Amino acid sequence: MTEFIPPGTRFHSLPSPFPMKRGGALHGARVAYETWGELNPAGNNAILIVTGLSPDAHAASNAGNADAGWWEAMLGPGKPIDTDRWFVVCVNSLGSCKGSTGPASLNPDTGTLYRLDFPELSIEDGADAAREVVRGLGIERLACVIGNSMGGMTALALLLRHPGLARTHINISGSAQALPFSIAIRSLQREAIRLDPNWNNGNYDEATYPESGMRMARKLGVITYRSALEWDGRFGRVRLESDRPEEEPFGLEFQVESYLEGHARRFVRRFDPNCYLYLSRSMDWFDLADVAGGDVLQGLARIKVEKALAIGASTDILFPLQQQQQVADGLRAGGAEAEFLPLDSPQGHDAFLVDMERFGPAVANFLAVL
Amino acid sequence: MTEFIPPGTRFHSLPSPFPMKRGGALHGARVAYETWGELNPAGNNAILIVTGLSPDAHAASNAGNADAGWWEAMLGPGKPIDTDRWFVVCVNSLGSCKGSTGPASLNPDTGTLYRLDFPELSIEDGADAAREVVRGLGIERLACVIGNSMGGMTALALLLRHPGLARTHINISGSAQALPFSIAIRSLQREAIRLDPNWNNGNYDEATYPESGMRMARKLGVITYRSALEWDGRFGRVRLESDRPEEEPFGLEFQVESYLEGHARRFVRRFDPNCYLYLSRSMDWFDLADVAGGDVLQGLARIKVEKALAIGASTDILFPLQQQQQVADGLRAGGAEAEFLPLDSPQGHDAFLVDMERFGPAVANFLAVL
């Protein structure tokens, strides 16, 4: 399967072998990243961004790639993460297909694609890989690590496993452990892919891509990324133009169905199904309580940062607000000056991508006083 | 495909032809029903129950069938719907496969199963069919019509289309119109069935039943019928015993996944996929605003009942509380003494089936003063 690498992506080679948390190791692996701004002489203005499941490292336009990025409104000169002041690094998660080594990459030991031979992937592996990029860029200590969604997990793993690597932390719509509702959703997304005959235990190619499974998985994702409240106002019960082909029984009829279909079409064939399975499962496995005898607050309290901010959207059903509250509470128990800031965004889990009116100032205000 | 008819089910023949709202008509169709208690000489103690998508007419044990029904705790002597006082009728929805005529029934015009030749099914058709049963039992006026979930839609359609048929109404976790989040969920459930190659445009049989599509649809249903809050306490992050077969990559690992799997297994092959598609779509189509120029409150206000109660669960994401609030507000605008009673149940949309502590007294108290 193809990897999907934006132009201008840079690469950092991981130490070889690169040991994986659940066993095995990668050889000759790499992490894709991009940067914005300049590291200052004191080396104390670096910010690391770790992402959700699907984004690449192209968070915003930069010298290497003028295209708008997935967080264009948040990141740039004069923006909430102000690249006139900060040197910002965004990494593509290990295990992804956007330039970092993952199941869609060539396995140097065999000369064929990893597919399901890729070792079991944990959130912690992504954190360790991100740390290598930070060190490789000559950064001794990050001013802040910012993690969104799955990246909120990755950031917590990074802080726990690499004490002192970051002074502060912003956790956005993230969590310290996966809970059963989100596990159930992701399990069903994986099942949709696995049930697609084209998946074929990971042995598909361009001609036999498991498209219907990926479409189902993406649609279910989008349903849980947004909120009922937003959709009531946005779509209501508006119908599509009535030229739907009559020969397709039970075909699309409402705008909301067409919206999901559009999202699915833009996603499939731009993301590798095996990578999706690996990253999705890594989230289910993540539990900061594992290091503290099952007590997630104790696990969080082992993290040492000076300041932290945990924010999220009141309408998020996938990473509900109480999980960001928990992150703030736990980090505070560990000695951080930690704030929990619930935001009244209608856009659900995805609000941090679109509701700049609320998320922009929250991030800007935190960074302003660092 | 087989129909699934509990022992002791009774049948009422619909007028032939029985015209359908969106066109076409059924010939020789029937509605399955069961009863509890006795109609009193004045004929004023009858209650009709209309159900959600999947239940049969066997709401509780009775003379014809001693098995526990799907609302066993709610219905019976001395229970909230006290069959020592009330004569209770529960109908299986038209279009279902539990005894009423639907896509899994024989089409008398062709001698073969209807499958997708069944006319387009509306909630209103189910309401009209239920009304025929009521009249067939010699009931001039119902003391109350109680509708759960989809049945809440059916009850409103019944009240609107057959003024005077019921004195009062209890709407439980129902709504006056489908909103985009629930449409999106149901659309995805239908897509899972349609994508199953075994569905084959409705032309499956026992040997080629679209099992994986139905399993996906049911799992997604169960996820939206319950609540994240309930599952946090019930499943947390508990794993299955570790004897999962290693040969199945990305197989089940958490208790919540096994819970969904169990629900799916108990559902598939006990419900006809075409019936599922028809009933599911009928909910998406339902909109009481259609009769009032797009104003749902005005549509509700056209319903004339003396008293009404709309109840639901705070954790319901499929039929959220504001929809029951809307039902109460609209019925009140139409002149009813209407109460909205939000219940703090953790079990989501399914709470009315399991949280008897809250739903039982709500129903009992309403009926007690009739």
Side-chain angles (χ1 to χ4, degrees), chain B residues 11-137:
Chain B
F11 301 96
H12 177 80
S13 296
L14 293 176
S16 188
F18 178 80
M20 301 286 277
K21 185 193 171 207
R22 293 174 67 102
L26 300 178
H27 297 95
R30 68 182 191 179
V31 173
Y33 70 96
E34 294 194 23
T35 69
W36 298 258
E38 300 292 333
L39 188 63
N40 64 16
N44 64 3
N45 72 327
I47 290 176
L48 172 69
I49 297 172
V50 277
T51 79
L53 186 152
S54 58
D56 52 36
H58 190 59
S61 52
N62 54 14
N65 181 354
D67 291 347
W70 54 265
W71 225 11
E72 190 72 24
M74 185 65 92
L75 179 64
K79 294 184 180 171
I81 306 174
D82 186 350
T83 52
D84 286 337
R85 176 180 175 198
W86 303 106
F87 173 59
V88 181
V89 183
C90 179
V91 298
N92 176 236
S93 305
L94 188 71
S96 174
C97 53
K98 309 277 184 167
S100 294
T101 298
S105 308
L106 208 62
N107 178 353
D109 296 344
T110 64
T112 61
L113 300 186
Y114 275 110
R115 303 182 186 272
L116 302 198
D117 289 336
F118 198 77
E120 291 187 341
L121 179 75
S122 302
I123 291 290
E124 287 83 352
D125 301 319
D128 291 353
R131 182 242 189 196
E132 295 296 332
V133 178
V134 170
R135 284 299 163 90
L137 288 168

Side-chain angles (χ1 to χ4, degrees), chain A residues 178 180-181 187 191 194 201 215 219 223 231-232 236-237 248-250 253-254 257 277 284-285 287, chain B residues 178 180-181 187 191 194 201 215 219 223 231-232 236-237 248-250 253-254 257 277 281 284-285 287:
Chain A
F181 179 82
S187 174
E191 187 168 355
R194 291 159 53 214
N201 270 321
R215 280 178 50 221
K219 287 186 178 185
I223 289 175
W231 286 2
D232 290 350
R237 294 185 43 80
E248 196 194 349
F250 300 95
E253 179 171 352
F254 290 92
E257 295 176 283
L277 294 172
D284 288 3
W285 280 338
D287 186 2
Chain B
F181 179 83
S187 175
E191 188 168 354
R194 291 160 52 216
N201 269 321
R215 278 177 50 220
K219 286 186 179 184
I223 289 175
W231 286 1
D232 290 350
R237 293 185 45 79
E248 196 194 350
F250 299 96
E253 179 171 353
F254 290 93
E257 296 176 283
L277 294 172
R281 185 178 58 180
D284 288 2
W285 280 339
D287 185 3

Side-chain angles (χ1 to χ4, degrees), chain B residues 139-155:
Chain B
I139 301 162
E140 278 301 305
R141 192 155 200 229
L142 292 162
C144 187
V145 55
I146 300 176
N148 305 323
S149 185
M150 181 184 88
M153 296 174 160
T154 310

Side-chain angles (χ1 to χ4, degrees), chain B residues 285-360:
Chain B
W285 280 339
F286 185 65
D287 185 3
L288 219 58
D290 286 344
V291 298
D295 185 327
V296 67
L297 284 172
Q298 286 289 329
L300 282 161
R302 296 203 184 177
I303 290 173
K304 301 303 168 196
V305 285
E306 294 174 14
K307 281 186 69 170
L309 171 69
I311 58 182
S314 54
T315 49
D316 189 341
I317 58 174
L318 206 58
F319 288 73
L321 270 185
Q322 63 265 31
Q323 295 206 286
Q324 290 99 58
Q325 166 113 55
Q326 184 178 61
V327 167
D329 290 348
L331 294 178
R332 195 177 303 116
E337 182 190 323
E339 185 189 3
F340 165 56
L341 185 61
L343 298 175
D344 208 19
S345 295
Q347 294 98 340
H349 184 62
D350 267 1
F352 69 86
L353 294 172
V354 289
D355 185 5
M356 280 308 130
E357 200 181 321
R358 292 186 179 84
F359 281 78

